[in-house]
Amino acid sequence: MKKLKALLIAITLSVVTGCSSIPLSTMIKLMNLNPLEADPNQIVVAVKSPDEVDVRDGDVVIDFSFRTGNPDTSFSYSYPVIVDSSYVIPVTLKNELEKDEQFTVMRLSEKDAQLMKQGQEVIRKYRSAHEEGGAGSINVRLLSACQSKELTWGNSELDVYLKVDQTDEFLLFLEDIDLSELDINKNC
């Protein structure tokens, strides 16, 4: 249990060192998240952006890493999430929208979800055989966005919401990400 708490603290610290702010309520909820039990097929990311900004496949990544003294059991992966246009946005999330804002919902591809499950299994096996347990982290990053020429800079911030389990609500994961801090593609 102590090792699991250390992993969760590493996750939180990894997230906190990012460029955007994470609400305290989200940090508290993340402390209860067990990344080894999360089903990668159920992870959903929702990005709230101005209507003039499109978030596309690969603009958001989920980083998943595990470090030990053995390179055979250490890994570091970045999984790009892809747009899921068929996902029905719940009313509670729709209520977060203001005028001229939209949500883009994204998920791991089936292939990447399977790779993440394999990584979880590597960690479980390593931990069952080694008392020191290794150190791991999981993070969600918004890397880029597609900006139309009509964007007004009065509302140039994006928010990232995360849902780890279908029975949970979306958590505000990253707040007030300034569009100027991202890689911007104007040819979309």
Side-chain angles (χ1 to χ4, degrees):
M1 188 62 163
K2 186 176 181 182
K3 293 174 190 163
L4 181 58
K5 287 287 185 191
L7 177 65
L8 294 174
I9 289 169
I11 292 168
T12 303
L13 291 176
S14 171
V15 171
V16 170
T17 58
C19 296
S20 53
S21 67
I22 298 173
L24 181 58
S25 60
T26 298
M27 282 191 207
I28 292 168
K29 289 179 182 176
L30 286 176
M31 292 303 292
N32 293 321
L33 170 68
N34 183 346
L36 297 180
E37 299 302 319
D39 179 355
N41 291 100
Q42 292 191 30
I43 297 173
V44 181
V45 177
V47 180
K48 181 171 73 170
S49 66
D51 285 339
E52 301 88 4
V53 174
D54 288 325
V55 179
R56 302 182 303 175
D57 292 353
D59 285 342
V60 177
V61 297
I62 296 175
D63 297 319
F64 185 49
S65 66
F66 185 65
R67 294 168 306 286
T68 69
N70 181 350
D72 292 335
T73 54
S74 297
F75 59 83
S76 181
Y77 302 120
S78 288
Y79 303 109
V81 292
I82 56 175
V83 175
D84 182 354
S85 56
S86 66
Y87 190 89
V88 178
I89 300 171
V91 173
T92 54
L93 200 56
K94 284 183 184 179
N95 290 338
E96 297 290 323
L97 290 174
E98 294 181 20
K99 183 181 176 191
D100 301 325
E101 289 183 329
Q102 64 182 343
F103 271 109
T104 304
V105 177
M106 309 175 92
R107 304 179 85 132
L108 290 168
S109 69
E110 184 59 39
K111 177 184 172 189
D112 287 340
Q114 289 305 316
L115 288 172
M116 191 172 192
K117 285 179 184 178
Q118 290 170 5
Q120 289 171 315
E121 188 57 32
V122 166
I123 295 170
R124 280 190 210 90
K125 285 181 182 177
Y126 184 87
R127 290 215 163 143
S128 69
H130 299 86
E131 189 174 310
E132 68 277 3
S137 67
I138 189 168
N139 191 16
V140 178
R141 293 182 295 135
L142 178 59
L143 303 175
S144 58
C146 186
Q147 169 192 331
S148 71
K149 294 178 180 145
E150 297 86 35
L151 179 69
T152 59
W153 286 98
N155 181 11
S156 62
E157 295 179 337
L158 291 81
D159 294 333
V160 177
Y161 294 76
L162 180 65
K163 184 175 188 175
V164 179
D165 186 286
Q166 294 306 309
T167 62
D168 292 337
E169 297 289 323
F170 277 91
L171 293 172
L172 177 57
F173 189 74
L174 301 171
E175 185 174 38
D176 300 333
I177 301 168
D178 193 323
L179 191 58
S180 66
E181 295 176 4
L182 302 175
D183 290 332
I184 302 299
N185 181 356
K186 295 184 180 183
N187 299 320
C188 44

